[in-house]
Amino acid sequence: MTTPRPRTLLALAVTAALAAGATACGSQAATTKPAAADAATSPGAHKGTEITTIGHEKITVPGTKPTALFFFSVGCGECAGGAKSLAAAGKALNGKANAVAVDMDPSESPQTIRQFLTSIKAPHLPAAIDTGAALSQKYKVAALSTLIVVDPAGKVTYRATDPGADQIQTALQKAGAK
C-alpha cells in the first residue's frame, strides 16, 4: 500500500472540514454566489457563479471569456509552481481570459493569501477563498494544485495538475481567449 502524498492529505482534510460546515473567517473573505439573473438572459447563456476576489474584484464563471481556476492552499508547497504558471499565463493573455487562484482552505486569511502571492512573485493574480466549497463542489475538484479551464458556455475544457504556463495559455486559447 502506498502512502498518500502530502497535498492529497491536505485536500482530504480541507474537504472534511468543509463538509463539517466550516466557513471562512473574517469580513474580507471572498465569496461565491450565483450571478445576477440578467447575466443569463441572452439565449444560450448559462447561469454563472459570481466570485468576489480578496481584492474585491467580481468575476463570473462562466462569463464572457474563458476562465482558468487554480485550486490551491497556502500550506501546499507544491501549489506555488501552479499559481506562478497561472499568473504568467494570465499576464500573457492580457485580459483575454480570466485567471483566478482559488484557495480551498477557508481558514486562510486574505492577508496570508496576499503574502503567499507576493512570495511567489504573483502579487496581482486574482485570488478568492472557496467559501463553503462552492467552486470545488461545482467543478468536482478534490485535490489541491488542480487547474480547470471553463469556456464561456460553462463547459470544463481542460483539467490538469500543476500545468505549466504554456499549457494553461494554450488551454485558454482553445476555450476562446482571442
Side-chain angles (χ1 to χ4, degrees):
M1 182 170 166
T2 61
T3 304
R5 294 172 53 183
R7 77 170 172 210
T8 302
L9 291 174
L10 182 58
L12 291 171
V14 169
T15 302
L18 292 172
T23 58
C25 300
S27 61
Q28 293 184 4
T31 58
T32 56
K33 64 180 183 177
D38 62 329
T41 55
S42 62
H46 294 275
K47 185 175 181 182
T49 300
E50 184 178 85
I51 302 168
T52 302
T53 69
I54 61 173
H56 307 290
E57 178 183 0
K58 294 193 184 305
I59 300 169
T60 301
V61 182
T64 58
K65 50 190 169 182
T67 302
L69 300 170
F70 180 72
F71 293 83
F72 79 106
S73 171
V74 170
C76 168
E78 297 172 359
C79 295
K84 256 184 177 175
S85 295
L86 178 65
K91 185 176 181 181
L93 288 170
N94 198 24
K96 297 174 185 168
N98 291 317
V100 182
V102 180
D103 193 326
M104 292 178 74
D105 184 347
S107 70
E108 294 176 344
S109 70
Q111 179 182 357
T112 302
I113 295 167
R114 285 186 194 99
Q115 289 170 343
F116 169 77
L117 294 174
T118 299
S119 75
I120 64 165
K121 298 178 178 44
H124 302 294
L125 178 64
I129 300 169
D130 194 12
T131 306
L135 291 170
S136 57
Q137 288 177 5
K138 180 175 183 174
Y139 294 110
K140 297 174 179 47
V141 174
L144 291 167
S145 214
T146 298
L147 179 118
I148 64 163
V149 172
V150 181
D151 71 12
K155 180 180 178 191
V156 174
T157 59
Y158 183 79
R159 180 181 296 262
T161 302
D162 292 324
D166 291 343
Q167 292 169 301
I168 297 169
Q169 189 173 343
T170 298
L172 285 165
Q173 288 168 335
K174 286 181 180 179
K178 297 175 181 163

